Amino acid sequence: MSQFIVRIEGLHKSFGSLEVLKGVDLEVTKGEVVVILGPSGSGKSTMLRCINKLEQPTAGKIFLEEIEITDPKTNINEVREQIGMVFQSFNLFPHLTAKGNVMLAQRKVLKRSKAEAERIATEQLDKVGLGDRADYFPSQLSGGQQQRVAIARALAMDPHVMLFDEVTSALDPELVRGVLDVMKQLAAGGMTMLVVTHEMGFARDVASRAVFMDGGVIVEQGTPQEVFDNPQHERTKDFLGHIS
Amino acid sequence: MGKRRILRSAAAALLAAALYVGIAVPAFALTDAKVTLDQETGGQPTRFTFVATTDADAAISSIDITFPKGYNLGAMKFDVVTLEGLKRIKNNPTGVAEGTTLKVKFDPQILPNSNLRIQIYNVMTPIKGGTHTLKLAYSAETTNPVPATVQRTGETAPYSYATPPIEEAISRWLDQQGPVKSWNGVKALGMFFKPQLIVTSIPLLFSGWLMALSLVAFGFPLAIFGGLSISFMKMSKVPPVRWIASIYINVIRGTPLFLQIFVVFLGLRIAGLRASDFVSAVAVLAVNSSAYLAEIFRAGIQSISKGQFEAASSLGMTYWQSMRYVIIPQTVKRVLPTMTSEFILLFKDTALFAAVGIFELMMYGNNYVARVANLTPYVVAAGYYLIVTIPLINIVGRLEAKLAQSEHGQAPPEKKNRRSGLFWRPASAGPESEYQASAAVHESERWRP
């Protein structure tokens, strides 16, 4: 039994003539919090989106536990149930309440009963601190609250791994903290997470591994301390120099 | 045996004697009296034609013709034609109307064996129809059995006409009203807004209105179904399916509905397919409108942010689940205003079916206009269209305002615009044009999940 949750082998992705990923290899073991850093255009979001096939890889293999996601015979919808994803732009369903958002896929995909879906939705919303906002529509919530509902929505599916794609980038600075707190709590609970972010503080405090990507490849990786305090690669130093 | 024959002869003689006594007085100085009317319903000026023949033994010097109660002879005129054989005789008739009785005197008198025809014009009949009778009274000079002047009364000539429908009755009543006459005296008013014709057009055109409504009532739901299917075809991953949808949409939207109507109506007949006119018409509407709705739906679906689909997919929902529970519910709200506008267009376009003989509003309007040489029926037809379209136009305005509010988080509109009803529409061009712009953007992106 391998202990990795996600394994990426030689992942390539091109958009037309533009090659965004030029051979990425990555293994994520259970309970790891992997923070992916890199300048914009380095392919970090694309890599994340390949993991649940929102982008179709051009070449390479991706495994979720024993299942090969990139195998055309794999039912991608069944795999996606197990991969929670949170987006930069929240993508809540605007016609449903917070609770409705958390319940929909539970009902339609996992075929949970209404009562059970409702119970889990309430539980998850409580966890992200929005128990009192269950009946609000997304348009009535702040960006930070919307993002926390989105996290609750993903968690309600009992995913084996969570993907976070620059989830705080679209938020006003004062709303970022609430979302990061939820993510910290999640990490502390043992959730396996892949996090694309620019929040260096979060990366330092929470990540078990930091991965630096540039030009479509992984340039350097290691513990946050290794990568932040003692970067080996010139491009990593350059990037960190620009941010801090 | 002989005895019987004698008895029988005696009876015959008695009968003959009795008959002789009867003939001794001029029993029928006027025979075959008949009345015909030139109008079949009451309540309007009517020409009565009275025809009779004078007997061989009597000459007529005067006739009184009495109409039943309720007739109006105020505007009455009459003329008399007398024919003796084929020769026209001048009898210098003079006559006056007294109440409901027309009294005509002849000088010289009308000779025996003449044909008499009296035409009485402009007799105002009562509204209520049925079988009425004219009462006749006349003085005749007879030579049989002895020369004498006799006055005869109590003869009748029956005729009948029908009670007009209520709108006819109202219209005829209006004919008599002074203000109505002055109104119609103004040419523009009388030509477009003649009250009498408004009254008669309303019930006449009503069935045309029902026809137009039922055409869209059947056609539009079919078009929604067809449009949705075609919009999904247009977004298909399979190129030939996409092409078929594109060709369909472009051909239908690129040709006039009028032409499509003729192609279907004549085409089906030439092909020997027996579809009723109604079914054909519904089919044309469905085919035509589905092309427009397909584009409306596609633009609506593609105007939903791609992230919505990604979020649904990332939760493990299938393409159709995402469509059904995430994309379509949001699309409905966005396309509702445009869809309602399309419904309005379709409803108005039913007028084109007049060209192929469907009895809808326009057809009734055309026929009636041709009959009365007045444009008022068109105005009434316009009214029937507006009864449907104005509330819908209003609804479109409200939907657009609501949509703008929900999508752009605008403050709720102030209540003072409650009158924003009949003829004024909230200025909400903003969201619609934005929506169309975003639809155009998405079209160029050609998003296909």
Side-chain angles (χ1 to χ4, degrees), chain A residues 49 80 92 94-95 108, chain B residues 308 310 313-314 321 325 330:
Chain A
R49 291 162 60 83
R80 281 171 176 164
L92 290 185
H95 61 298
K108 303 301 168 190
Chain B
Q308 289 291 310
E310 287 181 351
S313 300
S314 77
Q321 280 178 330
Y325 300 109
Q330 296 181 55

Side-chain angles (χ1 to χ4, degrees), chain B residues 177-255:
Chain B
Q177 307 308 308
V180 174
K181 286 178 188 165
S182 338
W183 171 277
N184 290 337
V186 182
K187 193 154 188 186
L189 296 179
M191 192 37 104
F192 290 98
F193 305 99
K194 191 174 177 183
Q196 292 94 318
L197 289 177
I198 291 175
V199 169
T200 51
S201 295
I202 287 171
L204 185 70
L205 268 56
F206 181 72
S207 48
W209 186 62
L210 288 185
M211 173 57 91
L213 280 178
S214 32
L215 285 175
V216 285
F218 284 97
F220 199 66
L222 286 174
I224 291 175
F225 181 76
L228 210 52
S229 313
I230 294 161
S231 71
F232 280 118
M233 285 174 71
K234 184 95 191 271
M235 292 184 291
S236 165
K237 283 179 191 151
V238 187
V241 174
R242 237 164 35 227
W243 298 336
I244 291 169
S246 287
I247 291 169
Y248 180 87
I249 290 170
N250 289 337
V251 168
I252 298 295
R253 295 210 313 171
T255 54

